[in-house]
Every structure is written in C-alpha cells, then in structure tokens.
Amino acid sequence: MTVGGSTFESNRNVGLHSSFANELLAKRLDKEGYYQCQYTPGLWRHKWRPITFSLVVDDFGIKTVGLSHAKHLKNALEKYYEVTTDWKGHLFCGIKLTWDYKNRTVDLSMPDYIPKALTRFQHKPPSKPQHSPYKSAPIQYGEKIQLAQHDKASPENSPKLSDDKIKHIQQIVGTLLYYSRAVDPTLAAALSTIAAQQSHGTQAVMDACHQLLDYVATHPNGTIRYCASDMILALDTDGSYLSEPGAKSRAAAYFYLTKKDNPNSIMAQSWPPPPKQNLHDTAARKPFPYATRSKKWDIRNHPPPSQPTTQQQSDSPWTP
C-alpha cells in the first residue's frame, strides 16, 4: 500500500484482481468502518477517521492525518492478507512520487518506463531529435478550412500491413497509453489517431508509431507536477474540422486544477495567448469535482467559483 505519503500492497495469492475478491474485501473493510465512495469508484473513506485511500488492483494509495489511522487500515488488512508498506509513498502503480512538502508539490514520473519500452520494441534512438509526437498536416495558407490530406502517404492509400505488424502497432499503443495517462498527456492526440487506425494498419500507421517512439526517445522523462491549489477547474479545449483520415474531426480538452490568477497555468504560458473573450464560467461549472468531496454537496445551493475555459481551434493534431 502507499500511505498518502504511504503505500501498501496486498501479496496474498488470492489477490484482489477479480470482482469477487473486491466484493470480499469490501465486506471485510466494512466491518472496520471503511466504505467506497458512491460517485468515485476505487476511492475509499472511513466513517469517522481522517483517512482516504485509492485502491488499484492490490495497490493502496493513502492520504491520512496521523499515521495511527494508516496503521489501523494496515492492521485490518493483515487479518486477511500479507501486506508490504512504503511509508514514504515513493511508488504507486509503477509511478514514482517525489514529494516536496515545503513547497506543497508532488512530481509524478516513470523514469525507467520509456527505456524499457524502446528496448522491448527494438527501437533505436533517432539520429535527430524528434519534438513532435505526430505528423501534422501542412498549413494551407489562404484556405478557410483545411481538410485531411489524401496523398500517397495517407493511411487509406498506404500499403497494408501483415497481422504480426498490426499486433506490433497495438502493443506500442497499449504500452504508451498508460504512460501518457500517467505522466505525459502530450502523447494523447497521436495515440488517439493511431488507435483509430490500428485494426486496419498500413505502412503510414507504422510510420506514425515510429515517429511517436522517436518522440518519447527524445523526451523519455515525462513528469507531471501537482501543486496545492484553490481547486479552480480550468479547461483548455481544442478542435479541428475534417482534419483526420476518414473525414473525421477532432475535439479535445485538458482539465486541470489551478489557483486564482496562477502565472504558471497553461493559459498564462501558452503562445500565442488564447482569446480572452472565450474565458467564461458556464461550461466548466460541473458537479463532479465536488461529488467526491461529499455526497451531500449540493451544486445548486453552493456553486463553485468561476471556471476559466480556453478555446482554440487548430488544424494540426497537437498545438503546444
């Protein structure tokens, strides 16, 4: 397990991998006063103890005030399972956690993940640095609408791949998807496009995978830093029209919690600056960030503060 600053792990052979084992664990923890939150699967609390933990398979990531409450959970689990502990909480679900309590930050990284992936797929580092995870369509100056390119290098016109090479593409996508969700969201657009084409893989899709591997080889140490904030939900949205193969469009958003007037936010650092007139407080006023805080939270009677939303349209799959 990891206890909020700490981690526990259940090591019994039965494990917690099946739904039956998870239901059995819930019954056992219920006797000790623990329950799973109604609106957030995998998030657990105690009826009165100041402790919260996240359960992923058999890894427990714990946040608590006072180690006595973490030890109470540990003792409850040890009645049925073998438990290992990391009281400093340096590793959770394969993600390295670097805590800075003075500055109230935590960095998430996976320093060995990309080198091992490159070795697994026998991918050599590029001769030149690759700073783009995906090939963007060339800008057509003067055109109001830029459609997807349909040249010889486009996926639908590219030679078909064998089943083994298609499986190779699927393995690359699956390996990098977890890494992207955990510590490097810059891969998301590329992975989304490749995943939509992988079942009918062509040489163009394989080339896109190689460019993505070149990108992570150039930038192998993706890191996300979480800071203490005012819990202001900010959104950066992006969209493009008919810019993907198969006459498909793209819409995406990056959600993050920030402070009021935060100079380090994406909106403050992006260039060119997003249009100020698109900042509004209606689209992001959603109850889900607050449902976890309390089941009794009434979003109608206690609306959250204004949420900044940045909107931007682009014809390239990734706009930094």
Side-chain angles (χ1 to χ4, degrees), residues 123-176:
H123 186 83
K124 297 181 180 179
S127 57
K128 296 182 179 180
Q130 177 57 261
H131 299 299
S132 175
Y134 190 67
K135 182 179 179 181
S136 61
I139 298 177
Q140 301 174 13
Y141 294 98
E143 296 289 338
K144 294 184 179 180
I145 299 178
Q146 297 191 167
L147 305 181
Q149 300 297 303
H150 296 280
D151 52 21
K152 293 182 179 180
S154 61
E156 58 268 29
N157 297 329
S158 182
K160 300 291 184 180
L161 296 177
S162 64
D163 291 342
D164 290 341
K165 290 186 177 180
I166 291 177
K167 184 177 180 180
H168 182 70
I169 291 175
Q170 293 171 340
Q171 290 173 339
I172 293 174
V173 171
T175 299
L176 295 182

Side-chain angles (χ1 to χ4, degrees), residues 240 243 309:
S240 60
S243 60
T309 303

Side-chain angles (χ1 to χ4, degrees), residues 163-239:
D163 291 342
D164 290 341
K165 290 186 177 180
I166 291 177
K167 184 177 180 180
H168 182 70
I169 291 175
Q170 293 171 340
Q171 290 173 339
I172 293 174
V173 171
T175 299
L176 295 182
L177 183 60
Y178 179 64
Y179 177 79
S180 174
R181 290 180 174 178
V183 299
D184 192 352
T186 64
L187 310 182
L191 288 170
S192 173
T193 300
I194 295 172
Q197 303 167 1
Q198 64 182 1
S199 60
H200 304 286
T202 64
Q203 185 59 46
V205 181
M206 180 64 78
D207 292 341
C209 282
H210 288 163
Q211 178 170 343
L212 186 58
L213 290 174
D214 286 345
Y215 174 77
V216 296
T218 305
H219 305 280
N221 298 315
T223 303
I224 292 181
R225 170 168 292 180
Y226 290 97
C227 307
S229 70
D230 297 321
M231 302 293 286
I232 305 297
L233 179 64
L235 289 75
D236 277 80
T237 64
D238 198 356

Side-chain angles (χ1 to χ4, degrees), residues 229-260:
S229 70
D230 297 321
M231 302 293 286
I232 305 297
L233 179 64
L235 289 75
D236 277 80
T237 64
D238 198 356
S240 60
Y241 177 67
L242 299 182
S243 60
E244 296 293 326
K248 296 178 181 179
S249 301
R250 175 180 295 281
Y254 182 69
F255 296 73
Y256 59 99
L257 296 173
T258 184
K259 300 179 180 179
K260 299 176 182 177

